[in-house]
Amino acid sequence: MSQPEHFTNAKGNVMRRRAVLAGMGLASLGAAGCSNGGGGGGAGGDVDISDTEMEATIEFAAWESDFDWKSVLEGFTAKYPNITVETTKSPFKDFFTRLQTQASGDNLPDAFMMNGPSFQLYASHDKLISLESVVDAGELDFSNYPEAMEELYTYEDVPYGVPTSYDSIGLWYNEELFEKAGVEVPTVEWTWENLHEAAKSISEALEGEGVYGFAGGAYNQELFYNLIFQAGGAVLNEDATQAEYSSPGSRQALQFLRDMVEDGSSPSIRTTADTSPDELFKSGKAAMVYGGSFRVAGYVDSAVGDVIQVVPLPKGEQRGVVLHGGAVVAHADSDNREAAAAFAVYTGSQEAQEIIGGSGASIPAFQGTEKAYIEAHPDYDLEIFPESAEEYGFPYPVSANTQAWLEVESDMIPKILAGELSVDEGTAQLDEKIDALLAEEAEQ
């Protein structure tokens, strides 16, 4: 994605649900009797974006990224010549804090970027325009996007977000370090066992140079979520009412990572907290790393850019890769609802998606436009990202207030992987704490 720090850690401005609701001015919505509007099943009812001559000036808020929004806006203006889009950008680390402040003051932008962990909070409090009527009119077809992305931005069977790009995860490796250690490079047939054996061999062979075979850490989207899905485990149950870290597959995944830390195949959790796996890999201090499709722009210009390659993730009990990505949403209370919705829909169009793919920063979400992303960096086997996403992608786990329980996750997982808690004890505590937060969500 455009901001790997967030989508690696899925953290940000994490706080308990009631604190978030109060800060956003959303806590009183239920008591005030706020309900969905008519027609489309979402806030404010239907929107009609068919009038390409409509006149409006709208604000679009985005986080800073490598997307070519300027060219996207030019394409939108060609289709809707009488709509002026004024873009405001802020660093990702500040984006959702600013959005919460705007929501608290009932001053949200007409259209804005959205991510999975924050989406349901806004959708569940009628802050977003339902796109059902746009779908019914044939202006938007979610079959054009990965199923996991449609699921991520749908709330109670109502679509609210138009996917702009998505992230898949692969195993990046340093060919030079493999050769130096005398270890065969990864292949598409690799399993967890192959990964561990190679990582241990490289760590032992290159210990004197301070090189690790694998850079692990306590990263969810790029690391342990993938392993959990591959082991047949889960983060949350199907209706997001209970945590499932203590399921056998989830425990197996965390034990696998812990074993690699304990035998030196991977750095200590303290090391990867101080220096990210991404930085260890780019500096030539790690031979392998699980990295997102969004990493390529940073890798190509790094010290190891000429000696690295990527393959699909090693297989566990099954294949699996976690998918996440951004979307554009429209504000339900905008004075220019149709124009805001029209802009959101256009950003996910084939035309706009080809522009986004051409930047080489992220995989465009519209299926069939991945070619531009792949061809932007032809030296790497980037086709493995959309292929794995299509064949065995799992949606990023979310609930009505994902950020609240991510705080617990980010506190507990490092302790489990570092050996401060046993896997069984740690995951039991993790489930208990997250279940309490999910129960609190259900009461709101």
Side-chain angles (χ1 to χ4, degrees), residues 169-438:
I169 314 300
L171 175 65
W172 291 88
Y173 64 94
N174 185 314
E175 298 168 311
E176 190 174 78
L177 294 178
F178 269 81
E179 182 178 358
K180 185 180 291 187
V183 177
E184 293 292 322
V185 299
T187 72
V188 69
E189 302 300 327
W190 263 28
T191 64
W192 286 11
E193 289 71 27
N194 297 131
L195 172 67
H196 194 172
E197 289 172 5
K200 192 171 189 299
S201 295
I202 293 171
S203 290
E204 291 174 349
L206 303 181
E207 181 179 8
E209 300 178 35
V211 172
Y212 290 93
F214 180 72
Y219 291 79
N220 58 20
Q221 183 194 354
E222 286 185 283
L223 186 55
F224 62 81
Y225 282 176
N226 299 281
L227 295 170
I228 285 173
F229 294 140
Q230 290 165 4
V235 177
L236 303 176
N237 64 358
E238 190 171 343
D239 59 1
T241 57
Q242 288 185 314
E244 295 198 353
Y245 275 104
S246 58
S247 65
S250 300
R251 286 178 169 174
Q252 181 185 353
L254 295 176
Q255 187 65 57
F256 175 75
L257 290 177
R258 178 164 165 168
D259 289 346
M260 288 214 290
V261 171
E262 290 180 344
D263 70 10
S265 301
S266 180
S268 70
I269 298 304
R270 179 180 295 276
T271 297
T272 50
D274 292 339
T275 306
S276 72
D278 172 59
E279 291 300 326
L280 289 171
F281 184 70
K282 288 194 296 186
S283 64
K285 292 301 181 181
M288 293 180 285
V289 68
Y290 275 27
S293 49
F294 50 80
R295 293 292 184 188
V296 62
Y299 287 167
V300 71
D301 294 326
S302 73
V304 300
D306 294 333
V307 296
I308 62 174
Q309 193 50 266
V310 63
V311 294
L313 294 180
K315 181 181 178 182
E317 297 296 322
Q318 63 183 2
R319 295 242 179 233
V321 62
V322 65
L323 302 187
H324 186 266
V328 174
V329 296
H331 181 205
D333 296 327
S334 168
D335 292 334
N336 296 289
R337 290 167 44 81
E338 279 71 24
F343 176 74
V345 171
Y346 178 79
T347 64
S349 68
Q350 182 174 353
E351 178 180 317
Q353 294 283 283
E354 287 175 346
I355 295 170
I356 288 172
S359 69
S362 294
I363 307 172
F366 194 103
Q367 294 182 333
T369 63
E370 304 92 346
K371 185 178 180 181
Y373 165 79
I374 294 169
E375 292 181 345
H377 302 290
D379 292 338
Y380 304 136
D381 296 332
L382 300 183
E383 65 274 4
I384 69 102
F385 289 115
E387 288 174 359
S388 61
E390 181 178 357
E391 293 176 18
Y392 43 83
F394 286 80
Y396 185 98
V398 294
S399 70
N401 186 24
T402 311
Q403 299 287 14
W405 56 264
L406 282 180
E407 181 178 14
V408 177
E409 178 190 271
S410 65
D411 176 58
M412 296 288 294
I413 292 295
K415 295 177 181 177
I416 295 170
L417 299 182
E420 296 177 28
L421 294 168
S422 71
V423 171
D424 287 356
E425 179 186 4
T427 54
Q429 290 183 23
L430 188 55
D431 280 358
E432 182 180 0
K433 292 180 179 182
I434 293 178
D435 285 351
L437 291 171
L438 294 174

